[in-house]
Amino acid sequence: MTRLLLVFLFLFPAISHALDIEIVGGAAQQIPIAVVPFNQPPGVSPESVSTIVANDLRRSGFFRLLETRGVATQPHELSEVKYPEWSALQAQALTIGKVEPSSGGHVKVTFRLLDVLKQSQLAGMEFDVAPTQLRKTAHKIADIIYEKLTGEPGVFSTRITYVNKTGKHYSLVVADADGGSPQTVLSSTEPIISPAWSPDGTKLAYVSFEKKKPVIFVQSLTSGQRYVLANFKGNNSAPAWSPDGKRLAIVLTHGGNSRLSLINADGTGMQPLSSGSAIDTEPDWSPDGKWIYFTSDRGGSPQIYKISPLGGDAQRVTFEGSYNVSPHVSPDGKWLTYIRRDSGKFQVAVRELASGQSQVISDSTQDESPSFAPNSRMIIYATSVGNRGILSVTSADGRVKQRLSEMGDVREPSWGPAAN
Amino acid sequence: MKKMLGLLFIMSILAACSSKPVKEETKAAPVPPPVAQAQTPPPAPQTQTTPVEASKAEVNPLTDPNNILSHRNVYFDYDKYVVKPEFQSLVEAHSKYLMDHPSARITLQGNADERGSREYNLALGQKRAAAVKQAMNVLGVQDKQIETVSFGKEKPKALGHDEASWAENRRVDLVYPGEQ
């Protein structure tokens, strides 16, 4: 297996350092692609659009980025492309483009994706955007290339959330899927855990200990306004949005037992869902809304079960091993990712729901909180290196892994929904 | 004692004040306004429940190192929430104290070691606190005197990553009002 070690550092004035990225592994079949550095005048943006595009494609594991510097012609226009030079490089696809000043302080970004063998254009687009939108535009271009060449939607324009602990300080952060443009949306001296995206990506539910006990809040990412979703006696935790965004499954501890409840997104209409004296926690809805997967120790050890949001009996889902927790269903409804403990190692597992076949896909030992990307092809999770929390992203088959790390202690990642 | 309570009061105000949302740094950053946040009022020192019987004893039995009531930790096995026999006398002593002082209140704070899921550990800490409460209820302590809370693995007392630290963190703390 090829071993790539790449570190990119994006720096942003006035915001915290972005995550460093480190990639390990590679897909078996990688598409050789050349991304010619775009013609971008200096001063437009500190970031190179074509570099962001190339990094996105490389990180996905589906592409082999070819070195373009040795090629005689560096085209930016279709008329400048000499195809034989690129077939000599064994490129299957070629990306060219340019960034130019436009009216009203905007910039115009033009790009083309070309099929080298057929000598034809696969995609071409022009964007007229504010300079602050260049990163976003670059991710969009990478998404278009990814979809054209793999047949599946890309996730480079999506966002992630995570909690960063620095000393005794906790920050809830929202960032691009590559860790770029991190924005702190909440800062506290008390722990923050379990952030969960609303299905439309406009809100986060999370658990904050700022009232000296776990209380669930919902916060708008557009206005920054927030409200208490649940502050019942005891613990309020583990929020999970229903697919229609109208309700959440949460965990309350009436009388000491952690049980599943349902609550409207405005905090009204709380009703208990599960009962009994065991631990029930970590609910997660199937995308069709028919099931809520959750962790329970009702069978003597923590295992994953599913229950209808209408109530009724729970069905056990995992049987192998003595500790299976933190279930998350893939957006296409076909897979379940969770944490399995085996021989003292806590690792990310993926289970095909139809066949019940599962496999461990991580090689670390202290993994937590796995969740799928919106295209169901990648999983983000928290792990630990040298006793410091970092985030890791893996292809759903475990073949390609990248590490996102940052100063501090990073945990509780959650991958946001598809970008609009 | 009063001075200490005053100090605690000030400290809790400071603690409450330090939990504030980040001020907007860039226009684009959606940061919550400093409302509905850090409104945690500092717990008023409830002197009326401070169980010192000044006329009889100069020493507070809850803090007297020679008194079993000064012992406040119940430890648990990994992934378990059963109160072990060696903590029975501790639970009994505090139960007797609470029954002798019906106005006294106690908070049972459950904790877990750092291994595994945060939410599962939060539930585990709650179960541990509930197990101590159950043991106290059986001995006759009223429900209204006991509050249970869990910090899961979020507030480890021991910061190491070894069995000794993990064992220290699988714990329920017995806390009386005004203490922390």
Side-chain angles (χ1 to χ4, degrees), chain B residues 113-180:
Chain B
D113 75 35
E114 65 175 351
R115 292 170 294 171
S117 146
R118 288 181 190 278
E119 283 287 353
Y120 192 75
N121 275 315
L122 188 64
L124 198 56
Q126 180 63 28
K127 271 289 190 186
R128 286 172 178 160
V132 176
K133 176 174 183 282
Q134 173 68 17
M136 289 181 157
N137 284 149
V138 166
L139 294 167
V141 184
Q142 301 173 74
D143 263 349
K144 67 175 184 188
Q145 287 182 274
I146 310 171
E147 187 182 338
T148 57
V149 65
S150 176
F151 298 135
K153 65 176 187 174
E154 305 308 320
K155 298 195 169 187
K157 185 169 159 187
L159 299 174
H161 307 282
D162 46 32
E163 183 47 48
S165 297
W166 295 332
E168 178 63 34
N169 292 333
R170 294 191 297 265
R171 190 186 77 246
V172 168
D173 289 332
L174 285 61
V175 181
Y176 288 89
E179 303 175 335
Q180 188 48 54

Side-chain angles (χ1 to χ4, degrees), chain B residues 7-19:
Chain B
L7 190 62
L8 273 170
F9 183 68
I10 290 165
M11 282 168 63
S12 54
I13 288 177
L14 288 173
C17 290
S18 58
S19 175

Side-chain angles (χ1 to χ4, degrees), chain B residues 5 8 44-46 49-51 62 103-107 175-180:
Chain B
L5 286 171
L8 273 170
Q46 301 177 14
T49 60
T50 305
L62 294 175
S103 63
R105 298 287 181 269
I106 193 166
T107 301
V175 181
Y176 288 89
E179 303 175 335
Q180 188 48 54

Side-chain angles (χ1 to χ4, degrees), chain B residues 84-97:
Chain B
K84 293 192 276 187
E86 59 257 48
F87 297 101
Q88 192 58 32
S89 54
L90 176 65
V91 171
E92 279 171 10
H94 284 276
S95 298
K96 183 175 185 305
Y97 179 85

Side-chain angles (χ1 to χ4, degrees), chain A residues 380-403:
Chain A
I380 193 167
Y381 60 99
T383 186
S384 179
V385 169
N387 292 318
R388 194 168 69 84
I390 63 157
L391 305 184
S392 193
V393 175
T394 173
S395 55
D397 60 6
R399 250 195 226 137
V400 187
K401 291 189 181 69
Q402 51 180 296
R403 285 173 179 170

